[in-house]
Amino acid sequence: RTRIPPGTLEGYSRILMRRGRAHNLVNTLRCWEQDLLALQTAINRVQAPSLLIWGARDGAVDLRSSAMLMQRLPACRCVVLPEVGHLPFEEAPQHFNQLVLDFTKEPGPGKLP
């Protein structure tokens, strides 16, 4: 059973079928290791409070990845949404949006007033 609204998969499918997409995917795979190294360097510079919103049923990115991110990000919180997969903003938009709104209202260093 999916919680993705009707029409969502079709929208993503159109992107995948776009002309030149195969070249883009090959290039992404070719640069994978270099991009991961760049990400590791960049993530170590993040000082702002961070919110991870993860779907408990994410089949694309394992939930265990959040533990590494939480170790690297100095002020990080993770919320796991049950019954949600890789697209929490699509599958549970009201819950996702409320989490983001509440997070932005929390006081803290590096946050907007």
Side-chain angles (χ1 to χ4, degrees):
R1 177 171 107 75
T2 182
R3 295 178 61 152
I4 298 174
T8 301
L9 288 178
E10 293 80 3
Y12 285 103
S13 295
R14 266 184 264 137
I15 292 169
L16 290 173
M17 301 308 289
R18 206 170 37 202
R19 184 182 194 119
R21 185 67 177 144
H23 174 73
N24 179 258
L25 290 172
V26 169
N27 194 46
T28 298
L29 293 173
R30 187 178 297 130
C31 299
W32 192 263
E33 286 185 41
Q34 180 182 344
D35 289 347
L36 283 177
L37 289 172
L39 179 60
Q40 286 176 337
T41 300
I43 207 166
N44 289 329
R45 293 190 306 239
V46 173
Q47 295 300 310
S50 306
L51 174 65
L52 300 176
I53 302 175
W54 222 283
R57 294 186 171 189
D58 190 332
V61 182
D62 194 292
L63 178 58
R64 291 176 288 188
S65 297
S66 67
M68 184 277 298
L69 290 170
M70 291 182 69
Q71 288 174 350
R72 293 267 177 89
L73 296 167
C76 184
R77 183 163 38 104
C78 182
V79 177
V80 179
L81 302 181
E83 305 298 319
V84 173
H86 186 63
L87 304 171
F89 51 89
E90 294 272 10
E91 298 174 57
Q94 289 84 6
H95 194 178
F96 179 91
N97 290 340
Q98 191 60 56
L99 288 167
V100 172
L101 287 171
D102 291 347
F103 179 74
T104 60
K105 292 176 185 175
E106 292 174 6
K111 305 269 298 267
L112 296 174

